[in-house]
Amino acid sequence: MGTKWEYCTLKYKTGGWLGGKVDEQEFQDELNRYGYEGWELVSCFDTSQGQGASRDIIVVFKRQL
């Protein structure tokens, strides 16, 4: 049988209802925390609010079982 994986999805808030700016250090710290727990980043995308603003950042991680 092949390699087995588990997945984790993180919704990172960029601000209130209208979105906002990302605190880059806070976001990096959060990604590193998952990395230290053995999670590998697979995908990362934002949910558009309009006019270049983002409401949430969706991050998908995986790690081997």
Side-chain angles (χ1 to χ4, degrees):
M1 190 182 267
T3 304
K4 294 185 180 184
W5 303 94
E6 67 176 326
Y7 294 87
C8 174
T9 302
L10 168 68
K11 182 188 283 187
Y12 185 82
K13 297 286 186 187
T14 61
W17 173 251
L18 298 177
K21 292 190 174 194
V22 174
D23 181 325
E24 292 177 31
Q25 186 61 53
E26 183 180 304
F27 186 59
Q28 180 175 303
D29 291 346
E30 188 77 7
L31 294 177
N32 282 330
R33 185 176 68 80
Y34 278 84
Y36 291 137
E37 293 176 4
W39 293 100
E40 177 183 358
L41 179 64
V42 180
S43 180
C44 183
F45 59 92
D46 69 326
T47 58
S48 297
Q49 182 65 26
Q51 299 182 14
S54 298
R55 184 179 298 175
D56 301 310
I57 298 174
I58 309 298
V59 183
V60 180
F61 298 96
K62 74 175 184 180
R63 69 178 170 188
Q64 192 172 348
L65 289 175

